[in-house]
Amino acid sequence: MFGRYAPSPSGDLHVGNLRTALLAWMFARSSGRGFRMRVEDLDRVRPGAQEQQLADLAALGIDWDPPVVLQSERLAVYADAVSTLEARGLTYECFCTRREIAEAASAPHGVPGHYPGTCRRLTEEQRAERRAERPAALRLASGVDQFTVRDLLHGTYTGPVDDLVLVRNDGVPAYNLAVVVDDAEMDVDQVVRGDDLLASAPRQAYLATLLGAVPPHYAHVALAVNGLGKRLAKRDGAVTLADLALYGWTPADLVAAIADSLGMAARDAVGMLDEFDPAALPRTPWVFVPPTG
Ligand SMILES: [Zn+2]
């Protein structure tokens, strides 16, 4: 069984991403699991970012079990999963524009961000008409409104499940589908990631059950925030290893800062792994104020 880290190669990882990666690695290794590295490169790829991200993770002392898995090389696997769901009548075409979805969701009985199932009710004739207008996305015909997951830090968490997109209307497998298929296929049974993704866990876990997989154990960890309490971002200043190097920070300095943020005395990844205790993790965000001089 495995834990994993799954970066999107859209740019350099910032200190919050690196901290989450270190946590995912500690959760996996301390529980006797292997650790997988998966590059989520179906979208927003910046040339060279993947190599830099892996180098930065290694510089912190994180190791993983080869090979590095690239989502872009797994399109046939996602297509198989979609076929399985299609064969069971669990999909339908959706022709809605973003605007139509936003309008429907803001209707009196709409749920914000929740797809109201408009296209599920189309007749075959209406479908044929709309196919001539624009390419369809493929959605899951969900059989539930909500689903419950277990999270090591948040306990029992119940969240909404809607008719999520499986394949985008440009033919690219949707994020939720790829994540669920990959975790199941890669024997990932422990998912540690930022708590901004907690709300996605119920729909992903539900989709996993439809594909015959057991949902993973989740641990959604607190994110890094800036001095104003907002989620840390590149615009906050020196937040990547390359930026921090300009202020004299080494990777070891960052590991020490992350250890401090977790209330750990260790100064390197191996020592942190020895000291790691999930129950002792802080539940509040890490305030990171980038150096300025
Ligand atoms: Zn639709």
Side-chain angles (χ1 to χ4, degrees), residues 119-134:
C119 293
R120 196 162 168 168
R121 298 182 286 272
L122 294 180
T123 64
E124 197 44 55
E125 255 180 2
Q126 289 170 318
R127 271 195 198 104
E129 253 170 52
R130 298 217 60 182
R131 261 182 220 128
E133 292 163 12
R134 64 196 315 266

Side-chain angles (χ1 to χ4, degrees), residues 94-96 115 119:
C94 171
F95 304 92
C96 294
Y115 179 68
C119 293

